[in-house]
Amino acid sequence: MTEPIQFPDGFLWGCATSAYQIEGSPLADGAGPSIWQRFSHTPGLTHQGDTGDVACDHYRRYAADVAMMQSLGIRAYRFSLSWSRILPAGKGLVNPAGLDFYDRLVDALLAAGIAPMITLYHWDLPAALDDSGGWLNRDIAGWFADYASLVFRRLDDRVTHWATINEPWVVADGGYLHGALAPGHRNLFEAPIASHNLLRAHGAAVEAYRALGRHDIGLVVNLEPQVPILPTSRPPAASTHT
């Protein structure tokens, strides 16, 4: 007989989105383009040429969306930030309007009794950084940590749950191996490089949070059984060399 699953006390039930999926207005108020902006506007790469130009129009309708979440009894909301909305070039000059938007969203969620949970990166790299190699450039760990630090300083006084990257394996697999997702590369050599730099960026952001933050931070992973959990054969015994 199957034993019932017991969720721990304090378990948060909620919903989740990503910035490019719902916000719309990807270039509004000084924001820069992302790789998804570029990818979706390239003919033939999305279904029927769909883009995120409007999406759910969350950038303009966030207050009504938060009210709807409250009416549904949602107690936690994980959303991602648009890196290029905050830093149009991915680094350097800050766009105040971008940070202000997320300030207002966090305040609206808290006023509605909904815990904001922020993901720093959900696949929409600033296009300017992609032009410099994107996840293939080792410098991206530092770029990501600088972006993360900027956001921590602005929002950690109200946000207590953080995630660095949403499903890094999807970025490497879909973006660099199979090309079905932005930036649309199909290169067996690039995928492990991107994977390595994604994990380096995660580590750099966690280090930055430990220096600046006061709450919890982690990584979003997909626990679906994509591959067997146990090896199908025993690996050879390790040898020792002197």
Side-chain angles (χ1 to χ4, degrees):
M1 184 175 180
T2 303
E3 295 184 4
I5 297 174
Q6 181 66 45
F7 288 90
D9 293 339
F11 187 88
L12 290 173
W13 293 93
C15 63
T17 63
S18 69
Y20 194 74
Q21 281 180 323
I22 69 159
E23 285 182 0
S25 304
L27 301 179
D29 302 325
S34 72
I35 54 173
W36 263 105
Q37 169 76 9
R38 178 181 288 171
F39 185 87
S40 66
H41 280 266
T42 302
L45 294 186
T46 64
H47 179 64
Q48 297 182 346
D50 288 343
T51 74
D53 289 358
V54 177
C56 301
D57 203 18
H58 181 68
Y59 185 72
R60 297 192 306 117
R61 300 174 183 268
Y62 74 92
D65 292 341
V66 171
M68 186 182 301
M69 285 189 276
Q70 184 182 36
S71 72
L72 293 171
I74 290 171
R75 306 301 296 171
Y77 175 48
R78 182 172 75 88
F79 59 97
S80 75
L81 309 182
S82 168
W83 186 344
S84 56
R85 196 181 291 286
I86 295 170
L87 291 164
K91 56 184 176 177
L93 187 65
V94 177
N95 176 30
L99 275 174
D100 289 347
F101 168 68
Y102 294 114
D103 247 338
R104 295 192 300 271
L105 176 58
V106 166
D107 286 345
L109 289 166
L110 291 172
I114 301 170
M117 310 176 76
I118 289 180
T119 303
L120 294 169
Y121 183 75
H122 199 135
W123 312 348
D124 52 351
L125 188 72
L129 296 186
D130 189 55
D131 291 340
S132 296
W135 291 108
L136 304 177
N137 188 330
R138 284 184 60 85
D139 290 342
I140 198 166
W143 300 337
F144 187 62
D146 290 344
Y147 153 63
S149 297
L150 172 69
V151 175
F152 296 151
R153 291 188 183 97
R154 183 66 172 259
L155 299 175
D156 192 61
D157 61 331
R158 286 156 290 157
V159 176
T160 60
H161 296 83
W162 296 87
T164 55
I165 300 169
N166 186 84
E167 298 177 324
W169 79 269
V170 176
V171 179
D173 182 84
Y176 289 89
L177 180 60
H178 295 113
L181 306 176
H185 296 196
R186 294 178 174 86
N187 191 307
L188 183 63
F189 176 75
E190 290 182 351
I193 297 173
S195 298
H196 181 58
N197 286 330
L198 282 156
L199 295 180
R200 290 180 58 250
H202 162 72
V206 169
E207 286 185 351
Y209 189 75
R210 288 173 177 166
L212 297 169
R214 301 185 299 276
H215 307 292
D216 297 324
I217 191 166
L219 180 73
V220 179
V221 296
N222 187 335
L223 297 181
E224 294 178 12
Q226 304 286 339
V227 296
I229 295 175
L230 298 177
T232 57
S233 61
R234 185 179 298 276
S239 59
T240 302
H241 299 277
T242 59

